Amino acid sequence: MIAATKRKVLDGLNRRYIYGRVPLLHTIIFLIEMAVATRIAAKFNTYYAEKPVLTTMVTNAVLGGVADTVAQLITAFQARSQQRAVDDDNSFISIEIHDLDKQKPPAIGEFGHARSSPPPFDFERLTRFMAYGFFMAPIQFQWFGFLSRAFPLTKANPTTPVFKRVAFDQFIFAPFGLACFFTYMTIAEGGGKRALTQKFRDVYLPTLKANFVLWPAVQILNFRVIPIQFQIPFVSSIGIAWTAYLSLTNSSDES
């Protein structure tokens, strides 16, 4: 009985080590990304004046990385909370230990130890999100320029052009952008035509509906108040939560 109690303590310490280590790595990466984003924000006007498209691409990539890191943090904490709940439920079960003095770590899957540990940080997934933001930025840049030229704001009546921009953005660019996102992610993850079809069938329409709930109000503010050089960074900054949602949606469909 004493040996079993000792093993429970050691196993609990090992689980705490695993639970603490993974979110810590996520947090460190998040802080590094935020430091880079802060640096870009401090020099944004200078960079934009010299190379507007490249500045937008780099900014989009960094903010996309922040969003995916937030999503991975959420997943890690969820996994940790779920496993702790399972451990609490099963804490009354006694464990028979044969060679406690050897102090060997549990085998994979033993006591649910390694089998249920939180997921490690996915650097490939982070790279995919940063690459998507990087390469999507020139398209956004051209699109926002088109909207500003097609529907210029006037002092006499600025409201009508804003609503026209929002309507065009939501009914033309938003469906196109989401299609690009899910297509790119599926192909980058190694999926084929079947995986892509399933992705569109399962998550595209629900995500598009969620888009229509959030983004019209954001874009009204964006087109009405924000100067054009800051419109894409503003969208990307507000979009950290949205991109984190997309990341969670995309990864949950994979599982």
Side-chain angles (χ1 to χ4, degrees):
M1 185 66 181
I2 296 176
T5 302
K6 289 181 178 179
R7 171 52 69 181
K8 286 183 180 180
V9 172
L10 290 174
D11 190 51
L13 291 174
N14 286 335
R15 284 198 303 270
R16 288 183 182 181
Y17 172 71
I18 291 176
Y19 295 149
R21 180 182 58 178
V22 177
L24 177 61
L25 176 59
H26 291 58
T27 303
I28 291 173
I29 294 172
F30 173 77
L31 292 176
I32 293 173
E33 291 168 342
M34 289 304 298
V36 174
T38 302
R39 175 65 179 175
I40 293 175
K43 298 285 187 178
F44 184 83
N45 282 334
T46 302
Y47 297 151
Y48 190 89
E50 296 175 356
K51 297 180 179 180
V53 178
L54 180 60
T55 300
T56 304
M57 293 170 74
V58 173
T59 303
N60 249 23
V62 172
L63 294 177
V66 171
D68 181 64
T69 301
V70 170
Q72 294 200 46
L73 261 171
I74 293 171
T75 301
F77 279 113
Q78 285 177 340
R80 185 175 66 174
S81 299
Q82 291 170 359
Q83 184 56 32
R84 280 180 174 174
V86 171
D87 292 337
D88 290 341
D89 291 341
N90 297 331
S91 61
F92 66 91
I93 300 177
S94 62
I95 304 172
E96 182 179 358
I97 304 300
H98 295 289
D99 296 315
L100 180 61
D101 293 337
K102 294 181 180 179
Q103 295 185 355
K104 292 182 180 180
I108 299 297
E110 186 179 354
F111 314 131
H113 177 79
R115 181 179 62 245
S116 301
S117 61
F121 190 85
D122 191 339
F123 285 96
E124 291 185 6
R125 174 173 144 180
L126 174 67
T127 302
R128 288 194 295 268
F129 268 83
M130 295 186 71
Y132 175 79
F134 185 83
F135 291 114
M136 195 67 181
I139 300 175
Q140 291 178 294
F141 184 87
Q142 295 298 329
W143 175 251
F144 278 57
F146 161 75
L147 291 178
S148 66
R149 293 189 302 270
F151 309 108
L153 302 183
T154 61
K155 292 183 179 180
N157 185 19
T159 303
T160 300
V162 166
F163 279 102
K164 288 181 179 179
R165 290 186 189 186
V166 173
F168 268 70
D169 183 71
Q170 290 301 296
F171 291 111
I172 296 177
F173 191 80
F176 167 77
L178 282 178
C180 289
F181 172 80
F182 286 120
T183 300
Y184 168 82
M185 288 297 170
T186 302
I187 294 175
E189 291 158 2
K193 183 177 179 180
R194 183 176 180 179
L196 184 60
T197 301
Q198 181 178 356
K199 184 86 69 175
F200 273 82
R201 184 182 65 246
D202 294 343
V203 300
Y204 178 78
L205 285 180
T207 306
L208 185 60
K209 291 177 182 178
N211 170 89
F212 291 146
V213 172
L214 170 67
W215 283 105
V218 172
Q219 291 293 47
I220 288 173
L221 176 64
N222 190 31
F223 293 135
R224 182 67 180 86
V225 178
I226 307 299
I228 187 170
Q229 70 269 26
F230 296 116
Q231 287 180 358
I232 296 178
F234 175 77
V235 166
S236 298
S237 299
I238 299 297
I240 287 176
W242 172 250
T243 307
Y245 166 76
L246 290 179
S247 179
L248 291 169
T249 301
N250 187 68
S251 60
S252 65
D253 186 67
E254 292 173 30
S255 60

